[in-house]
Each structure stands twice: as C-alpha cells, then as structure tokens.
Amino acid sequence: MDVNAAVAALAAIAGVCTGVIAMLAFRWSERDQARPTRTSLHTDAVLPPGVDTVLSVLRSSAVVLDESDSVVKASSAAYALGLVRGGKLAVEPMLNMARDTRRDGEIRQVELDLPRRGTGRGEALAVSARVAPLGSRLVLLLVEDLTEARRIEAVRRDFVANVSHELKTPTGALSLLSEAVMDASDDPEAVTRFAGRMQIEATRLTNLVQELIDLSRVQNDDPLEDSEPVRVDELVAEAIDRSRHAASTKQITMASNVWPPEGLEGGTADLHVWGSRGQLAAALGNLVENAVNYSPARTRVGIAARRVSSPGGDLIEIAVTDQGIGISEKDRERVFERFYRVDPARSRATGGTGLGLAIVKHVAASHGGEVTVWSTEGQGSTFTLRLPEAGAVRDRRPPASPTPDLMTEPLPAPEVLP
C-alpha cells in the first residue's frame, strides 16, 4: 500500500514538472517570435497596407519609427550604413528630426556627414535624410547615400578648374608675346625670338585641346563598335615612329623586342589584341612619348611584348621601360589622374599636359585590360599595358614556341635610331 502511494506521489510530481516545463517552453517560444529581426522589429501588421512592399523596392535606406522611437521596419541598407543598432535609430540628428516631424507633421530634409563604419581613417559618408509622417503614429525616414555623387562632382569640379588653368597659361602667354612682338617691330632679332616662343605656346595649346578631345572620345566611344584584331608589332612600330624625332634629338636609343623576326612564331609578330586600333595606338604612343620626354639624353627606352597565361584567357603584356627620373611611391598612386604631374617644371619644359596617362588608363579599361607602373626614383620606370589577346586569332594560330621573359632576359637586337 505504501509502495502504491509513493508511486502515485512520484507520478504527480512528474506531471507537475512536465506542466511547468511545457509552460516555460511556450513562454520562450512566444518571446522568440516577438524578438525583433534585422528586417522587422515588430509584426508587419502595424504598417499600413502596401508600405512594406514599397519600402522593399526603394533604393534609399528606409527606417520606420513608432511613437516610442522604436524601429518598426528597417531595410538592409539602413543596417549596412549603421543607421539602426539594437532596435534603435543610432543617428541623433535624424532621431531629433523624426521627433519634430511626429509632433507637427511637417516633412524635413537635411544633409549630414556620418562616420564610416569599420574604418579608422576618419572617412565620412555623405547622406541626405528625409523624414515624413506615415499615418497617425509612424514616421518614415529615407536616407540617400551621396558619397559617390559628391566624389564625382569633386572630380568634375577639379577637372574644370584644371582645364581652365591649363588653357589660360598658353593663351595668356600668346597674348603677352603678341604685345612684345608689336613693341619690338623695329628689332628683327627680338621679333624672331618672340615668334619662336609663340609657336611653342601655340603647339602646347593645340596639344592640350587635342588630348582633351582624345580623352572625351575614349570615355564616350565604345571600342567594340570598330574593333578588330590588331597586330602588336604594328602598334609598337607606330609608337616608335611617333617619338623617333624627339628621341633622335636627345640621342636616346629605342629598342623593341619584335622577336623572333617576321615569319617565325612566338614573337610579337604573332601577337594580336582585339579593339580599336586608333585608341590602342594612342595609348601605347603616349607611354613611349612619356618615356622619351622623361629620360635623360643618351639613355635607352625599351618596348617589349609577350603573351602571359591568365585564368580568364591569355593576356598580351606590352611594357615600356625607360632610364628616366623615376616616380616616388606617393606619386605612383596618382600618376594616372588627369592633369597630375610628377614634376610640373619638367612637364612645362617638355610641353606635357598631364592627360596622357589618363587616356592610357581609360583605353586599357574600355578594352578589358589594365595599366600598371613599376618605378624607382633615379633608376627609371616601367609601364605595363595588359590587354586580352584577340580570341579569334589565338584560336587559329599553331602552337607557338616560348617567348623571352621580359623581366629576366635582355631585349634582343635593339633598333637604334640614326
């Protein structure tokens, strides 16, 4: 009898424990269901019909606040920008705007600079915040990231300022020189000297206008519209011919590795790239011209080409090496910017406009390639243009013998200028 009573007591205790555990599990389940998520901090029922769908397709970061300033709904972009943290709006000026709008129902807008998350460099995000009432109890906050737009606007503003400065320099010089010619009309020697300077400034102005046109063309034109397989050796020969006179004047030796000779496989005579012949010739011509202009007299400029393997397909590398002044590490990061000059005084002496490398960068990018630079101050520079090989030509060619490694083997048989 006592045994039966004990068993019954244990069963009753077990039943009570099971009921308590079930009740606790039910409460925990309700708490988990009510816990806010990244996409919705309350149930969607509190939002007016259709608002959730509209917010999901907006490009702006969206946050919906209730009367207690709690986040009812927030888009993923709002979390990415760091606007919402711990279920609350983390930007105090936006929170104050939301409270003012909830109080008087007026729409407000402001532009702010927010610290960028995850960086310690003090970089800021430029945003535009707009707050509007959403029904009688909710407030909608829309935030637009303006960082990229401001960067583009700054680039455009700098470009206009630089163009204005570059145009004013030669035009101002021409104006002064023309006055000097008029004042020295009775001195033939002075007239000849001033006229020579006028020719130099006029040439500089013509080159600047032409490079501005070239830059605009490579930015706006699609190279695929008039693309064709272009022989690399022809591009190299054209670039050498373009700078032949300037190199001869400075007694600079120009060498190219068109090797093996014409008719044999494996050299630059067998290399082709696909794209606009005019743009590619202009890009390589700019690299060779810069190498000659920034090289001391009686030095050497080399142009070398080779085929390299890549996971996305074979690439053609064209390297232009000089023995010039070199480029410092801080300048290497900016040499491809428009109007940026490593040595402004030398650029004025050589007639450089600061647009040549910017054109090379745009041509390389539009053809699916890139341009890089290696340099050491006082020892020279190597600019390397990498472009995809023309697929149709590559598929037709027979297996080629290995080409010389440009970085480890000397260039063969230089073409010496007379």
Side-chain angles (χ1 to χ4, degrees), residues 75-414:
S75 64
S76 299
Y79 285 97
L81 289 178
L83 303 180
V84 178
R85 298 175 189 172
K88 295 291 184 180
L89 186 61
V91 183
E92 190 66 25
M94 296 182 186
L95 186 59
N96 293 334
M97 287 175 57
R99 291 169 178 169
D100 293 340
T101 297
R102 185 184 302 110
R103 184 179 60 254
D104 55 24
E106 293 186 4
I107 298 176
R108 289 174 169 82
Q109 184 169 348
V110 68
E111 292 188 0
L112 301 171
D113 291 332
L114 306 180
R116 190 186 297 268
R117 297 182 62 186
T119 63
R121 295 175 294 177
E123 296 181 352
L125 287 172
V127 299
S128 174
R130 185 178 179 86
V131 181
L134 186 63
S136 58
R137 300 188 305 112
L138 304 179
V139 173
L140 173 63
L141 171 67
L142 295 177
V143 179
E144 189 75 24
D145 188 355
L146 304 178
T147 307
E148 184 64 16
R150 283 194 179 179
R151 186 192 68 81
I152 294 175
E153 180 60 30
V155 170
R156 184 183 296 110
R157 186 169 55 250
D158 292 343
F159 179 72
V160 172
N162 286 328
V163 168
S164 301
H165 173 74
E166 295 296 334
L167 288 175
K168 285 170 62 178
T169 301
T171 53
L174 286 172
S175 177
L176 292 175
L177 288 169
S178 64
E179 293 178 4
V181 168
M182 294 177 63
D183 294 339
S185 58
D186 55 349
D187 186 351
E189 183 179 349
V191 169
T192 301
R193 185 172 67 254
F194 291 143
R197 289 296 307 170
M198 291 179 68
Q199 288 182 337
I200 294 174
E201 296 299 334
T203 300
R204 178 176 298 177
L205 181 60
T206 302
N207 292 339
L208 175 60
V209 173
Q210 184 59 50
E211 290 201 342
L212 287 171
I213 294 173
D214 292 342
L215 180 60
S216 176
R217 181 179 295 116
V218 299
Q219 286 182 306
N220 298 326
D221 290 355
D222 184 1
L224 297 180
E225 291 182 357
D226 57 349
S227 60
E228 58 180 331
V230 182
R231 290 169 59 107
V232 173
D233 60 333
E234 294 178 354
L235 292 177
V236 172
E238 186 173 339
I240 290 176
D241 189 63
R242 170 175 167 176
S243 300
R244 187 180 300 275
H245 175 71
S248 178
T249 302
K250 299 173 67 174
Q251 298 180 9
I252 293 177
T253 300
M254 301 183 69
S256 65
N257 78 329
V258 183
W259 186 261
E262 189 72 26
L264 297 182
E265 299 168 2
T268 54
D270 189 42
L271 302 183
H272 296 73
V273 292
W274 189 271
S276 169
R277 181 185 182 87
Q279 291 189 17
L280 293 172
L284 185 57
N286 284 344
L287 292 181
V288 175
E289 186 176 8
N290 273 2
V292 172
N293 288 340
Y294 285 88
S295 293
R298 294 179 293 279
T299 55
R300 184 171 179 267
V301 171
I303 306 98
R306 67 174 178 178
R307 179 185 299 112
V308 295
S309 299
S310 172
D314 290 349
L315 298 176
I316 302 300
E317 282 190 355
I318 308 175
V320 179
T321 303
D322 63 60
Q323 298 173 321
I325 61 175
I327 305 172
S328 66
E329 183 177 356
K330 65 180 183 66
D331 288 324
R332 285 199 297 270
E333 300 177 357
R334 302 189 59 189
V335 290
F336 296 104
E337 295 180 10
R338 304 166 186 170
F339 296 109
Y340 186 80
R341 297 182 178 94
V342 175
D343 187 348
R346 181 178 292 266
S347 295
R348 285 193 294 268
T350 60
T353 63
L355 289 174
L357 292 179
I359 292 174
V360 175
K361 179 181 177 180
H362 281 289
V363 170
S366 64
H367 284 75
E370 63 173 353
V371 59
T372 58
V373 59
W374 173 93
S375 184
T376 301
E377 289 186 89
Q379 298 184 19
S381 307
T382 297
F383 286 84
T384 303
L385 186 62
R386 296 184 181 89
L387 299 167
E389 186 177 12
V393 176
R394 181 186 66 240
D395 296 339
R396 291 198 301 266
R397 73 169 188 266
S401 58
T403 57
D405 191 327
L406 303 181
M407 305 306 173
T408 59
E409 299 186 20
L411 294 174

